[in-house]
Amino acid sequence: MRPVTLVDSCVLLDVITGDKEWADWSAGQIAVAMDSGRVVINPLVYAEVSVGYETIEELEERLPASDYDREPLPYVAGFAAGKAFLRYRRSGGDKRSPMPDFYIGAHAAVCGYRLLTRDASRYRSYFPTVSIIAPVTGEA
């Protein structure tokens, strides 16, 4: 079975904005993911990337559905995101509502997807079963 990779918005934005430090790494990892299986985004990733566009047509041109499968956020992922957020709050986190990262991580976790991101530490903390593709940065 070919792997499915959920791509985090930070990786897409690296490529879209031509980030000097991360664009090449991110573009390379997206290409590897596309060559090895399905590449998925969800409405939260789509929303985070959409901020830089005036029209949906511009965004659709940048994130063509032929390259990035669109999936809704499963309800069970909403539940898992809430539980991860509760652990975050109990460990001293100060945000008042679940952040998009909790929903994105939960989506990968409940569907058994790999997660392509540069923000690995929160995902590793709250979704330890998710296979994370991230640059080696010296973080634990």
Side-chain angles (χ1 to χ4, degrees):
M1 176 184 239
R2 297 181 64 179
V4 178
T5 305
L6 178 61
V7 181
D8 197 2
S9 57
C10 62
V11 173
L12 294 169
L13 290 168
D14 288 343
V15 176
I16 290 167
T17 64
D19 183 274
K20 289 181 179 161
E21 185 174 356
W22 294 109
D24 289 342
W25 182 87
S26 293
Q29 293 301 315
I30 291 170
V32 167
M34 287 179 172
D35 286 345
S36 65
R38 286 179 54 230
V39 175
V40 172
I41 60 175
N42 65 30
L44 294 164
V45 171
Y46 193 85
E48 289 178 331
V49 174
S50 77
V51 172
Y53 295 91
E54 291 295 318
T55 68
I56 195 167
E57 290 81 12
E58 290 175 296
L59 179 59
E60 286 291 321
E61 187 175 313
R62 181 50 90 171
L63 297 177
S66 59
D67 290 341
Y68 301 95
D69 289 347
R70 277 99 163 108
E71 286 192 3
L73 185 67
Y75 276 86
V76 69
F79 182 83
K83 294 304 173 198
F85 177 70
L86 183 61
R87 288 191 305 277
Y88 161 82
R89 290 286 295 167
R90 287 181 175 160
S91 68
D94 61 355
K95 301 289 184 192
R96 292 282 178 212
S97 63
M99 296 166 282
D101 287 353
F102 287 117
Y103 294 106
I104 293 165
H107 185 176
V110 304
C111 291
Y113 295 167
R114 303 180 312 174
L115 180 61
L116 174 56
T117 185
R118 278 191 304 99
D119 302 327
S121 61
R122 180 176 293 131
Y123 293 118
R124 284 188 178 125
S125 295
Y126 294 101
F127 302 100
T129 62
V130 173
S131 174
I132 295 176
I133 303 163
V136 177
T137 59
E139 66 182 45

